[in-house]
Amino acid sequence: MKDYALDAKALVMVQGSSKGTQPKYFKDGYWYKADSEGYEGLSEYLVSLVLQCSNVKDYVIYEKCFINGKNGCRSRTFLSETESFISFERLYAVYEGGHLLDRIRVLPEAAERIRFVKEFVMDTVGMDCSEYLSWILALDAFTLNIDRHFNNLGVVIDSRDGVCRPAPVFDNGAALLSSWGRFHEETIEENLDLVYGQPFSANLRSQALEAGIGFELDYGRLERLLEGEPDSRALRVLKYQMAHEREFIPEFR
């Protein structure tokens, strides 16, 4: 893997959250994220391989790499010079004030929460995000991504004409049981009991089903892509999911 040397001038932020603190850099049209508490970069890379074998039309491709000697990943920006990414969280703050998560928490069912967000996005920017959510929530259930939230769901707006499109699928580093601190049990089955999703439900499968399973996967092609990958927990988790979720995630042909 290539080692990218980045200095403080390229440092955009040091993100802190319940999932850890992750240095993030931007240089020459590329984003760089160093691992914080597990193998986030490897997860990003493997999930982008999953997406290459799916029916999802727009997603970010990640390269596993070293960043200043530390494991991480690199990806090209998905924005042109005239485009901006507006997260659902930011969109809600601008139009309604407050936090979108706080607003949907008062709704008792995941289906109601999903419907509220779809209607809000349609009313504010005129975009139907139904297919977008059906891809992402099913992908998250398949890859066990525990960190989907309203800051990595959003729209891309072009300042030239105001046209909106769904953002590409990105930010999958918390997938495949990547946190060594949280997922510390010996077997994959034991660790599955520690998986809690968001933002619509703690049950990843439940929120995916409520959004509709729009995600499809070419299992054979993915198996071939993974043949040369070195053994890792991330790879074992992915292969486990491939073996156990074929009825849940349909075949893409």
Side-chain angles (χ1 to χ4, degrees):
M1 293 191 298
K2 187 170 181 179
D3 191 348
Y4 296 98
L6 301 170
D7 57 29
K9 294 178 182 178
L11 184 63
V12 175
M13 66 183 74
V14 179
Q15 275 183 319
S17 72
S18 61
K19 306 296 180 292
T21 301
Q22 189 172 28
K24 192 172 184 179
Y25 302 83
F26 184 77
K27 184 178 180 182
D28 298 332
Y30 283 89
W31 287 99
Y32 301 80
K33 292 191 295 183
D35 290 355
S36 61
E37 62 167 32
Y39 46 84
E40 296 95 332
L42 178 57
S43 289
E44 294 278 23
Y45 165 73
L46 289 176
V47 175
S48 69
L49 292 185
V50 172
L51 285 162
Q52 288 179 50
C53 301
S54 78
N55 64 323
V56 175
K57 301 178 181 72
D58 196 9
Y59 55 88
V60 173
I61 296 175
Y62 289 87
E63 166 198 351
K64 55 183 175 178
C65 65
F66 294 110
I67 301 167
N68 297 330
K70 187 174 182 179
N71 283 308
C73 61
R74 182 177 90 140
S75 61
R76 187 185 295 274
T77 181
F78 56 77
L79 299 172
S80 71
E81 292 183 358
T82 61
E83 290 180 327
S84 299
F85 169 72
I86 310 295
S87 69
F88 287 172
E89 172 68 14
R90 179 61 180 160
L91 201 61
Y92 189 81
V94 168
Y95 280 90
E96 301 292 339
H99 298 287
L100 180 54
L101 184 60
D102 291 339
R103 174 62 183 86
I104 68 166
R105 275 176 175 160
V106 304
L107 302 174
E109 302 295 334
E112 296 176 77
R113 297 167 186 165
I114 292 169
R115 183 167 56 251
F116 177 89
V117 169
K118 290 197 290 189
E119 291 176 353
F120 166 72
V121 173
M122 176 60 76
D123 291 344
T124 52
V125 297
M127 188 188 81
D128 184 355
C129 62
S130 299
E131 184 179 53
Y132 174 65
L133 290 177
S134 77
W135 287 342
I136 289 181
L137 297 183
L139 172 70
D140 288 346
F142 179 73
T143 61
L144 307 173
N145 184 4
I146 61 173
D147 198 30
R148 185 67 60 200
H149 47 75
F150 293 126
N151 282 310
N152 57 26
L153 293 169
V155 301
V156 173
I157 301 179
D158 195 321
S159 62
R160 295 173 300 182
D161 50 21
V163 171
C164 295
R165 62 180 173 90
V169 181
F170 74 102
D171 200 3
N172 306 294
L176 304 177
L177 310 180
S178 68
S179 170
W180 288 113
R182 179 167 181 170
F183 300 108
H184 48 72
E185 303 298 335
E186 290 187 5
T187 69
I188 292 174
E189 290 84 353
E190 289 173 313
N191 278 312
L192 291 179
D193 293 334
L194 304 175
V195 173
Y196 298 99
Q198 55 178 339
F200 300 104
S201 171
N203 188 311
L204 287 169
R205 289 175 67 96
S206 175
Q207 67 177 9
L209 288 167
E210 293 295 353
I213 307 299
F215 182 74
E216 299 175 356
L217 183 61
D218 184 336
Y219 289 89
R221 181 184 175 198
L222 181 56
E223 287 169 357
R224 292 189 293 273
L225 278 183
L226 297 177
E227 285 177 356
E229 294 298 323
D231 181 56
S232 65
R233 184 169 81 171
L235 183 62
R236 292 193 297 273
V237 172
L238 178 53
K239 288 183 175 180
Y240 179 94
Q241 290 297 97
M242 292 169 65
H244 289 81
E245 298 296 336
R246 286 179 179 258
E247 292 186 6
F248 182 64
I249 301 298
E251 181 82 27
F252 175 52
R253 301 184 186 279

